[in-house]
Amino acid sequence: MTRVSVRERAVFLPDADALVIADLHVGRADASAVEFPLGEGTDLAARLRASCAEFAPHEVVFAGDVLHRFDRVSERHVAVLETLAETCSDAGADPVFVAGNHDTMLAEVWPDEVHDEYRLADGTLVCHGHREPDGDADRYVVGHDHPTLSVEGRRRPCVLYGPDAFRGGDVLMLPAFTRLAAGVETNGMRTADFDSPLVTDAGVFRPLVRDAEADETLTFPPLGKLRRLL
């Protein structure tokens, strides 16, 4: 795998000078019974700001499902989008929005272009992952399935890395950036259990889990081997 910096809910691609996050689901708090202490928008912006401060990316790409509601976007949700964009701009980064299956209203509330898929400077193709992309690439970065890995009884967000997994290109599947999504435990999942068509053989995908305390990324065996170890 070419150089990638994995964080708990994001990846930085140094050859593209791009930070990529997915599945923010702005507005999910409204539909949740869980009271979030910081407030949904404040939490998203604070963690985005921290990632921008660490990597100083040229671009921040939001890889789909930026919004949660299909049918309505309130002024508060628009304010969160504006805050996220301002957070990028304040860090010297260009915000780029890619539409996911939840983003039926995104183009109506975001004044700049909303992409179906977006090619980074190193040729990586970023799409949400709910449908097959039109373009080909040596690497695809997607979201959509909200992967997590259960480690010692604790469910942790993970990046799934599938070498040569789709059309001969590598696939990086990101966890949900929102902390309001519980995520899907991938330990025992098979190909048919994933919603993304970019997962053609789940068994080859390796979970990558960030250990912030140790400041390292843990690489686990491919899911096909993990299933046998369970």
Side-chain angles (χ1 to χ4, degrees), residues 148-166:
T148 70
L149 187 72
S150 180
V151 181
E152 297 178 344
R154 177 186 171 191
R155 184 179 290 186
R156 302 183 62 165
C158 69
V159 172
L160 292 180
Y161 164 55
D164 303 323
F166 182 73

Side-chain angles (χ1 to χ4, degrees), residues 66-67 73 81 97-100 102-111 114:
V66 180
L67 300 174
V73 181
L81 293 184
F97 287 89
V98 175
H102 277 253
D103 292 321
T104 54
M105 303 287 291
L106 184 57
E108 296 185 27
V109 298
W110 179 246
V114 175

Side-chain angles (χ1 to χ4, degrees), residues 156 207-211 216-220:
R156 302 183 62 165
L208 310 176
V209 176
R210 183 68 183 174
D211 186 338
E216 64 177 337
T217 299
L218 307 177
T219 302
F220 287 81

